[in-house]
Amino acid sequence: VSTQSTGTACRDSLIRSWDYKSKGTINLIDKYEHHNDWVNSIFYTHKHDLLFSGSNDTGVKIWDASKGFVMSSLRTHRDYVKKLAYAIDKDIFASGGLDRKIYVWDVCTLKCLTTNNNTVSTAICDGHKDSVYSMSINSIGTQLVSGGTENFIRMWDPRACTKVGKLKGH
């Protein structure tokens, strides 16, 4: 994966990296195989050359994108992981899914952040009454929004895992 490529993932449990720098030509660069169920969400960090993936196998995997191997597997979710969201300037990301939980992670340490010391692996943004299907975080990691089947968009401060508000009408 590079600035001239893109990644795709789907229910065949594979992640594919595609080269699109040649005019009109898209070529398969690599396949990443380590999930055993649908891959629902991926993102890539150029800064660290890491690929992150969330899957129905309940795992979040961190890949060395250059070498194509899994460096770490995060197994905190109890149900499908549906969405990952990355704050590029803060180097944190969030994972959310059908277990109604959102976990906030430090990309560099790969540990779950807490309000106490930012290294303990038990913090969650908890408050969804149903599954989390969509999520976005701003680039500096101060605002997170999430949505599911409840007809609300929930707003969070991911630094403290606290609810900030909710938007009705979705």
Side-chain angles (χ1 to χ4, degrees):
V1 181
S2 73
T3 56
Q4 296 295 313
S5 65
T6 191
T8 60
C10 65
R11 63 183 179 179
D12 64 3
S13 76
L14 297 176
I15 300 166
R16 291 174 176 84
S17 177
W18 304 90
D19 174 14
Y20 60 88
K21 65 182 170 192
S22 304
K23 210 173 208 180
T25 306
I26 300 173
N27 297 309
L28 180 65
I29 298 170
D30 207 350
K31 288 192 288 189
Y32 303 91
E33 301 180 53
H34 204 269
H35 284 288
N36 55 28
D37 208 338
W38 296 19
V39 178
N40 299 309
S41 187
I42 61 173
F43 72 87
Y44 173 73
T45 66
H46 291 281
K47 181 178 175 182
H48 304 287
D49 194 31
L50 298 175
L51 178 70
F52 292 74
S53 57
S55 169
N56 282 4
D57 63 14
T58 74
V60 174
K61 299 203 184 290
I62 297 92
W63 306 76
D64 179 310
S66 298
K67 297 177 182 162
F69 70 88
V70 174
M71 296 172 49
S72 185
S73 292
L74 307 175
R75 291 279 180 196
T76 43
H77 286 280
R78 299 290 176 231
D79 207 337
Y80 298 172
V81 177
K82 298 304 272 181
K83 185 66 179 158
L84 304 176
Y86 178 51
I88 191 168
D89 296 334
K90 187 68 173 167
D91 264 344
I92 62 172
F93 78 97
S95 59
L98 300 191
D99 61 359
R100 304 183 313 260
K101 309 284 189 239
I102 298 171
Y103 293 88
V104 181
W105 305 89
D106 181 314
V107 169
C108 298
T109 64
L110 303 178
K111 293 182 179 176
C112 201
L113 298 176
T114 68
T115 56
N116 297 331
N117 62 12
N118 288 346
T119 59
V120 178
S121 60
T122 56
I124 53 173
C125 295
D126 196 7
H128 273 276
K129 308 267 187 279
D130 209 346
S131 304
V132 177
Y133 281 96
S134 63
M135 211 168 31
S136 184
I137 192 169
N138 67 346
S139 66
I140 58 173
T142 59
Q143 297 173 342
L144 174 86
V145 293
S146 59
T149 58
E150 306 173 86
N151 298 324
F152 293 109
I153 300 295
R154 296 193 185 273
M155 300 164 25
W156 308 87
D157 180 342
R159 298 166 296 182
C161 286
T162 55
K163 288 184 237 179
V164 176
K166 95 178 146 175
L167 306 173
K168 297 178 185 180
H170 280 274

